[in-house]
Amino acid sequence: MTTLIPKYDQGGTSAVNRPFIQKLQETVSVKDFGAVGDGIADDAPAFAAAIAAAIASKRGKRILIPACPVGSFYKINSAITVDNYSAGDSAYIPLQFEGEGDLSLVKRGAALASSSVGLFDIKGQDITFYNFRVDGNVTTPTGLRYGTPGGFNN
């Protein structure tokens, strides 16, 4: 009996036909780790798990933040620490957070009410954020925090 391994072909000139599983492993989605994006569930643990998986791959990954239903968002009730330093490799693992536009919305939940804490607490380097919205949901906006308190906030 022959086992069929699904293949993926991007199409076009010089495209390589390769195992489908390799294509799927290029991206880590926060939904792969339980993020719901309904504005009710706390999605912070799923974000943290996706980051950990991307770093554990040792290759760097794109972390996908899929679009939420209209009017909804990923609720974050605890700061998401992004520390991509791999002590075993003495190197930073490149990470790219990528959304799908305006409907990829990450918003502070009521349990993370302090405006002095960022939704994303950046402690590394080679980290890219692209094509999603961050709403600090407080009067003094703090969405991304880099380094120690009093450092860069955006």
Side-chain angles (χ1 to χ4, degrees):
M1 174 180 233
T2 303
T3 301
L4 297 175
I5 299 174
K7 301 283 187 178
Y8 179 83
D9 185 335
Q10 184 68 37
T13 307
S14 302
V16 176
N17 191 5
R18 61 192 178 122
F20 193 67
I21 191 74
Q22 286 179 356
K23 178 66 177 170
L24 291 175
Q25 290 174 340
E26 290 175 358
T27 301
V28 172
S29 171
V30 295
K31 289 199 171 196
D32 293 340
F33 295 89
V36 181
D38 63 358
I40 299 168
D42 179 11
D43 294 310
F47 274 73
I51 293 166
I55 293 169
S57 77
K58 307 282 189 198
R59 296 187 317 239
K61 296 265 183 166
R62 182 171 71 117
I63 299 171
L64 179 64
I65 303 170
C68 297
V70 174
S72 197
F73 54 91
Y74 294 99
K75 182 168 82 173
I76 304 301
N77 279 333
S78 58
I80 300 165
T81 300
V82 184
D83 184 353
N84 62 336
Y85 185 73
S86 174
D89 299 311
S90 298
Y92 289 92
I93 307 299
L95 297 177
Q96 177 181 341
F97 292 82
E98 185 172 341
E100 297 179 327
D102 285 344
L103 292 178
S104 293
L105 173 59
V106 180
K107 192 171 182 177
R108 179 184 304 269
L112 184 61
S114 171
S115 62
S116 65
V117 177
L119 291 177
F120 292 93
D121 190 7
I122 313 302
K123 297 180 182 266
Q125 61 188 38
D126 293 332
I127 301 168
T128 306
F129 293 89
Y130 176 73
N131 204 25
F132 68 97
R133 294 186 306 143
V134 175
D135 182 347
N137 200 24
V138 290
T139 306
T140 306
T142 306
L144 303 178
R145 185 176 74 169
Y146 184 79
T148 59
F152 172 77
N153 287 296
N154 189 5

